[in-house]
Amino acid sequence: MSQLIVSGMRPTGKLHLGHYLGVIQNWVELQHKYDSYFFVADWHALTTKYDKTDELKADVLNVAMDWLAAGIDPNISTVYVQSYVPEIAELNVYLGMVTPQNWVERDPTLKDMAKILRTKEGQNSQISYGLMGYPVLMSADILMMNADAVPVGVDQVAHIEITRDIARRFNNIYNTDFFHEPQPILNHCSLICGLDGNKMGKSFHNDIKISDTEEVTAKKIMTAITDRSRMRKTDLGHPDECEVAFKYWKIFGSEDQVATVKCECENGERGCADCKRQLGAVINERLSEIREKRVYYETHIDEVKDILSEGNKKARKRASEVLATVRDLVRMY
């Protein structure tokens, strides 16, 4: 029997290339090696946007469409919506009972989220009980499927550590070895910065979305930061100091293309505008098949809903089996 992995993503709108390169691309590969469960974390979206839910349903569907278009195969992976597996909420209660307060407070992601919240709403803004419990709910997501491993980036390893701690504590308290202590599977995919050189993100208005058209992508690429020292096409360039465009070339271009761009730039034979126009064409070519599939799902939304419905059923079946054992171990009535 193959090992089981689980991972999720908050629905915050249409996904961008950072999501694709840093997460989804890895999932697509892993789904052929593991029994894979991927969920849209709509409850987690409420931790910071509980008062901004007008687009939540649409965001859930947008995330699902981006996943499917990018290669997540519902025939071999279980794709589901977190809130449609209510067993997670019950498990969250049991795990919350055995989790010390200081474990939650030291979670680095919680600290980051609280910092972002206070930056947006002021230093006196209150952290909700739901946000404070984020690390436990995240652990419930993982332990609900009793996963063997979780694909994450290096910056998310702390997530897995608290989950392992909670699983170990539960097992010790109830004298069992039921819960696995999940291992992280580190993503070794390319990371991509935003068009301004900072972290790519929707709220920073510096992203290229998976679902962007060729025209929009080409226009956005023309705003990418290049070598700030160059004023004219004939100026000798410094590709390694090109803040964004050359980094994109190394991700999306072939070895020959990257070598050509580097040589022509260094010799003053390639202007930045022409370089970015060519780069836009290369990125559009790379994403063309994904975008065709994305358009298909946009016009077959009922098919997407059916996929989620089937995934929800499969996830609930697994969750019900795990929860039955947990209730028995806790000695619930």
Side-chain angles (χ1 to χ4, degrees):
M1 182 176 174
S2 63
Q3 288 195 314
L4 187 149
I5 63 171
V6 63
S7 195
M9 191 179 292
R10 296 203 315 167
T12 57
K14 295 179 179 179
L15 304 182
H16 54 62
L17 295 189
H19 296 118
Y20 173 65
L21 294 168
V23 180
I24 305 171
Q25 191 172 243
N26 196 43
W27 288 1
V28 171
E29 180 181 341
L30 292 173
Q31 70 181 340
H32 298 286
K33 303 175 183 178
Y34 296 89
D35 186 7
S36 301
Y37 285 72
F38 302 122
F39 65 94
V40 185
D42 54 345
W43 275 334
H44 285 301
L46 298 180
T47 57
T48 55
K49 294 188 175 182
Y50 55 85
D51 58 341
K52 300 177 180 66
T53 59
D54 290 349
E55 298 180 0
L56 184 55
K57 290 181 179 179
D59 286 344
V60 168
L61 290 173
N62 273 315
V63 169
M65 286 188 286
D66 282 332
W67 288 357
L68 296 170
I72 298 299
D73 186 348
N75 294 312
I76 57 176
S77 296
T78 302
V79 182
Y80 61 103
V81 181
Q82 181 188 34
S83 66
Y84 272 76
V85 185
E87 290 81 2
I88 296 171
E90 185 174 347
L91 180 60
N92 181 56
V93 172
Y94 301 136
L95 298 183
M97 298 303 178
V98 303
T99 303
Q101 178 180 340
N102 65 326
W103 288 13
V104 173
E105 292 176 338
R106 75 189 184 203
D107 183 80
T109 300
L110 175 60
K111 292 179 181 179
D112 290 343
M113 293 172 73
K115 184 178 179 179
I116 292 171
L117 181 67
R118 285 170 176 153
T119 299
K120 290 182 177 180
E121 301 183 8
Q123 291 300 314
N124 294 324
S125 61
Q126 295 295 311
I127 296 175
S128 70
Y129 174 78
L131 177 55
M132 182 62 72
Y134 171 86
V136 179
L137 179 57
M138 177 272 306
S139 296
D141 292 324
I142 297 169
L143 297 178
M144 188 76 269
M145 300 303 157
N146 211 359
D148 298 289
V150 185
V152 292
V154 175
D155 60 335
Q156 297 174 309
V157 171
H159 275 340
I160 312 307
E161 286 306 311
I162 190 173
T163 301
R164 288 167 54 82
D165 289 342
I166 292 173
R168 190 180 306 119
R169 182 169 169 81
F170 182 96
N171 286 346
N172 288 338
I173 290 173
Y174 297 109
N175 193 28
T176 181
D177 60 358
F178 175 67
F179 275 130
H180 302 156
E181 294 181 25
Q183 299 292 325
I185 300 177
L186 294 180
N187 294 346
H188 296 293
C189 302
S190 302
L191 297 178
I192 187 169
C193 61
L195 294 163
D196 57 0
N198 297 310
K199 181 179 179 180
M200 182 174 284
K202 173 185 176 182
S203 59
F204 304 138
H205 306 291
N206 66 354
D207 62 333
I208 296 175
K209 292 181 174 59
I210 295 172
S211 56
D212 279 343
T213 64
E214 291 189 357
E215 292 74 20
V216 169
T217 299
K219 185 176 180 180
K220 285 183 176 181
I221 283 294
M222 296 306 294
T223 69
I225 304 297
T226 54
D227 179 356
R228 296 178 188 269
S229 68
R230 296 188 74 191
M231 301 299 292
R232 295 173 295 275
K233 176 180 177 178
T234 54
D235 291 341
L236 302 185
H238 310 85
D240 292 334
E241 296 177 17
C242 180
E243 296 183 35
V244 177
F246 191 63
K247 293 178 181 178
Y248 282 23
W249 270 111
K250 289 192 286 187
I251 293 172
F252 294 100
S254 65
E255 288 187 16
D256 289 343
Q257 287 174 323
V258 172
T260 298
V261 170
K262 180 177 175 65
C263 180
E264 291 180 352
C265 179
E266 290 175 336
N267 293 324
E269 300 169 350
R270 167 178 288 261
C272 292
D274 288 339
C275 184
K276 288 189 284 188
R277 273 190 282 271
Q278 293 176 21
L279 174 61
V282 168
I283 293 175
N284 279 328
E285 182 179 0
R286 169 80 172 268
L287 297 177
S288 62
E289 184 176 345
I290 293 174
R291 286 171 169 170
E292 286 178 13
K293 291 177 66 177
R294 183 59 157 78
V295 171
Y296 170 82
Y297 285 117
E298 288 172 358
T299 56
H300 294 78
I301 200 69
D302 286 341
E303 185 174 332
V304 178
K305 291 179 179 179
D306 288 343
I307 289 170
L308 290 176
S309 179
E310 288 302 310
N312 294 338
K313 291 175 185 176
K314 184 176 178 181
R316 285 205 70 181
K317 183 177 185 298
R318 170 77 179 181
S320 296
E321 294 168 355
V322 171
L323 188 60
T325 300
V326 170
R327 288 182 61 90
D328 185 58
L329 290 168
V330 179
R331 298 177 181 83
M332 298 302 294
Y333 180 72

